[in-house]
Amino acid sequence: IIAVLIILPGLGGIIYSIGPDEMGVRQRFGKYIGLSSPGLHAKLPFGIDRVTPIKVKKIFKEQFGFKSQAGGRSRGYVTGGDDHSLMLTGDLNILDVRWIVQFKITDPVKLLFATRNPINNVRDISEVVMRRLVGDFSVDEVLTVKREEIDYLAQQELQEILNSYDVGIHIITV
């Protein structure tokens, strides 16, 4: 009876499932041993093997200066309380800059093992890049003629920094 009580809970963790938009990163005693494709798989029980599912087909979105309202509507944004969007322009004016960074995970192994918190890295690097770019132009340029150029430059520079950190994230758009 004691053997059954010990073995039975461990057997429940043998089978695991990876969703169609995910890849599973398999670890044995914390060391990377391979990737699992979508579907049903088996692993060693009792915490010997651990599988972390990572969504590799989802496009993630980080927002700065505003947040979408509940329900995922594209119209109507809630503002306020976010100092990340207040920036000093090149002509020493303060501007409320709002932007969205969309990215995708390209390498789940690098995402898990290269940095401690890759999503916060995207947020922090994006803020630094945007502040630097907005600080290079006057308030009128940021609001009108340089807007698309700033978006393009921010995307390129953000991707270069993330590539140098080797975190397995691809920036889709800023």
Side-chain angles (χ1 to χ4, degrees):
I1 293 174
I2 293 173
V4 169
L5 291 176
I6 292 173
I7 294 174
L8 195 58
L11 294 178
I14 290 179
I15 304 294
Y16 67 94
S17 173
I18 300 295
D21 62 338
E22 298 174 333
M23 290 292 288
V25 178
R26 295 179 27 223
Q27 300 173 50
R28 181 163 294 148
F29 296 118
K31 183 179 179 185
Y32 170 73
I33 58 170
L35 291 173
S36 294
S37 58
L40 289 175
H41 302 278
K43 65 178 181 168
L44 295 177
F46 304 113
I48 296 171
D49 282 358
R50 187 175 74 202
V51 178
T52 307
I54 304 290
K55 294 197 177 290
V56 293
K57 293 186 180 177
K58 179 180 177 184
I59 296 176
F60 295 92
K61 176 173 68 169
E62 288 295 319
Q63 302 173 339
F64 299 86
F66 61 91
K67 294 180 182 175
S68 297
Q69 288 180 342
R73 293 185 216 128
S74 60
R75 297 177 57 205
Y77 292 97
V78 179
T79 60
D82 192 4
D83 292 336
H84 300 291
S85 63
L86 296 177
M87 299 187 187
L88 190 63
T89 61
D91 58 355
L92 301 179
N93 286 307
I94 295 178
L95 187 61
D96 187 10
V97 180
R98 299 174 187 164
W99 74 99
I100 297 173
V101 176
Q102 293 181 339
F103 60 94
K104 190 175 183 181
I105 297 169
T106 56
D107 190 341
V109 177
K110 289 179 182 176
L111 183 82
L112 283 180
F113 298 117
T115 64
R116 181 167 293 167
N117 196 337
I119 305 303
N120 278 350
N121 289 346
V122 170
R123 287 195 64 83
D124 294 343
I125 294 168
S126 176
E127 185 179 343
V128 167
V129 167
M130 193 60 74
R131 284 188 189 282
R132 190 189 66 73
L133 289 172
V134 168
D136 287 345
F137 301 106
S138 71
V139 68
D140 293 331
E141 290 174 326
V142 172
L143 291 173
T144 57
V145 295
K146 296 291 185 180
R147 188 176 202 157
E148 290 180 12
E149 181 180 343
I150 290 172
D151 289 343
Y152 176 76
L153 291 173
Q155 179 179 347
Q156 297 303 315
E157 190 169 335
L158 184 55
Q159 187 64 58
E160 286 175 18
I161 293 171
L162 289 172
N163 288 345
S164 70
Y165 288 160
D166 202 24
V167 295
I169 292 177
H170 173 69
I171 301 298
I172 295 173
T173 186
V174 175

